[in-house]
Amino acid sequence: MTLTFKPQWATVLSGLLAVMALSVTPAALAQTKIKMVLNWKYQGPQAWFFLAQDKGYFKAEGLDVEIDQGEGSSAPVAKIAAGAYNAGFGDMNALIDFAAKRPAEAPVAVYMIYNTPPFTIAVKKDSPIKTPKDFEGKNIGGPANDGALKLFPALAKAAKFDASKVTISNMAPNLREQMLVRGQVDGIFGYINTIWFSAKLVGLDPDKDLRFINYGNHGIDLYSNAILFSRGFVRDNPKAVQGFVKALNRAIKEVVANPEPGMDALMAREPLLKRDLEKERLVATIKEEMNHPEIARIGLGDIDTERMKRSIGVVVEANQLPRTPTVEEVFDRRYLPARADLISKF
């Protein structure tokens, strides 16, 4: 027996199929996969990445984003260049160094987040180290991929001391503050807020127990962490890069306005974190590392071209690099949202 649809049912079925077709968005049809590596282990200042994931902001842009923990702010540059990741959150100065040596393989930054130099060397409050010159003859330690450690030659040049007279020790990130307290090193490299809040986790009072020698106070007015993409991915997937930046910018604005949903997203990934401390770290990062006066003019995410030229010159000269990358080689602003959509103040 042959079954046939009556004309009216055929019409209804055809209409339903048409509606279903219209309801399938491009994002649902083709998700572009992005594998991303962070600058560090899960912390409060990464909340916007997880909020963008959980609220579907990446998905709405046709993206399937996977986010891995990191091992230091300079590490994402090499990992992206090697093809292990499409994207990362890493140090701009490590990118400049890499681009000077291997321009064809170097990633490119598309959205600047840490626009104020966070680099520091922390010493104990009673340490005889008062100025950068006092580092000579001392032992300073930090993780091998730490951004401040990588920029130590630049600090030495700017502050006029001999870096060759300083012993550099490497250690695991979770041992940094403990080794300082035990006297195993005389100072430790890091980002101000990373050391500040990690010190709290091991029972220190940073105000009473530590003193910070900040690179920014000694002529190192450099950019820091930005969103990086592989050059090949940018070339082949420009809409995906633009969509990623749009989704992230949206999430940052929401977390700045109300940190709690971002903290919910962070804690869902690492429930053992101390929520109050990580929220405090997040707020401090926004105020101290993302709040350069230039954002009133250009907006969070963009860069000042002349400032970046100077930054490139500092890194090239301090590290005696073989060539000077152009601003356009290391930062591509074509994927930024409209200026009106960028944060201008906190």
Side-chain angles (χ1 to χ4, degrees), residues 100-129:
K101 300 170 183 174
R102 297 160 62 182
E105 303 165 47
V108 61
V110 296
Y111 186 95
M112 181 61 62
I113 297 183
Y114 292 175
N115 48 42
T116 299
F119 316 106
T120 195
I121 295 173
V123 300
K124 289 192 286 188
K125 198 72 144 185
D126 59 358
S127 169
I129 299 174

Side-chain angles (χ1 to χ4, degrees), residues 155-223:
L155 176 66
K157 185 172 182 62
K160 297 180 172 56
F161 66 89
D162 189 347
S164 69
K165 295 181 178 179
V166 181
T167 299
I168 304 296
S169 298
N170 293 135
M171 75 273 286
N174 62 321
L175 298 178
R176 176 168 41 192
E177 291 75 24
Q178 296 175 41
M179 289 184 69
L180 176 63
V181 171
R182 293 170 183 166
Q184 294 170 280
V185 292
D186 301 302
I188 50 175
F189 294 102
Y191 283 17
I192 298 168
N193 284 322
T194 299
I195 294 177
W196 184 278
F197 290 99
S198 295
K200 282 192 168 187
L201 286 172
V202 297
L204 296 175
D205 181 338
D207 281 322
K208 295 179 179 178
D209 300 328
L210 301 178
R211 185 152 31 82
F212 294 85
I213 298 176
N214 299 329
Y215 287 30
N217 294 334
H218 298 279
I220 308 296
D221 183 28
L222 304 178
Y223 287 101

Side-chain angles (χ1 to χ4, degrees), residues 50-273:
F50 308 130
L51 185 77
Q53 262 188 332
D54 291 356
K55 284 202 167 185
Y57 296 162
F58 290 136
K59 188 175 182 180
E61 298 298 327
L63 307 176
D64 176 12
V65 180
E66 176 186 337
I67 302 175
D68 287 348
Q69 297 189 68
E71 301 169 346
S73 290
S74 66
V77 176
K79 289 176 183 263
I80 295 169
Y85 292 90
N86 312 115
F89 181 43
D91 181 47
M92 191 74 217
N93 307 292
L95 172 59
I96 292 168
D97 187 289
F98 196 99
K101 300 170 183 174
R102 297 160 62 182
E105 303 165 47
V108 61
V110 296
Y111 186 95
M112 181 61 62
I113 297 183
Y114 292 175
N115 48 42
T116 299
F119 316 106
T120 195
I121 295 173
V123 300
K124 289 192 286 188
K125 198 72 144 185
D126 59 358
S127 169
I129 299 174
K130 308 292 185 182
T131 70
K133 179 70 176 174
D134 298 328
F135 292 138
E136 294 180 359
K138 301 298 191 296
N139 185 349
I140 312 298
N145 288 313
D146 184 83
L149 188 157
K150 295 287 187 181
L151 285 168
F152 190 59
L155 176 66
K157 185 172 182 62
K160 297 180 172 56
F161 66 89
D162 189 347
S164 69
K165 295 181 178 179
V166 181
T167 299
I168 304 296
S169 298
N170 293 135
M171 75 273 286
N174 62 321
L175 298 178
R176 176 168 41 192
E177 291 75 24
Q178 296 175 41
M179 289 184 69
L180 176 63
V181 171
R182 293 170 183 166
Q184 294 170 280
V185 292
D186 301 302
I188 50 175
F189 294 102
Y191 283 17
I192 298 168
N193 284 322
T194 299
I195 294 177
W196 184 278
F197 290 99
S198 295
K200 282 192 168 187
L201 286 172
V202 297
L204 296 175
D205 181 338
D207 281 322
K208 295 179 179 178
D209 300 328
L210 301 178
R211 185 152 31 82
F212 294 85
I213 298 176
N214 299 329
Y215 287 30
N217 294 334
H218 298 279
I220 308 296
D221 183 28
L222 304 178
Y223 287 101
S224 182
N225 286 18
I227 299 300
L228 316 176
F229 273 91
S230 77
R231 202 165 293 274
F233 190 90
V234 170
R235 180 191 63 237
D236 298 337
N237 303 276
K239 289 185 178 179
V241 176
Q242 186 176 39
F244 182 97
V245 172
K246 178 182 176 182
L248 179 61
N249 185 68
R250 180 181 179 184
I252 290 176
K253 290 166 75 173
E254 290 191 13
V255 171
V256 168
N258 179 12
E260 297 303 339
M263 293 306 302
D264 290 341
L266 172 68
M267 298 304 296
R269 286 157 178 81
E270 185 51 86
L272 296 180
L273 291 173

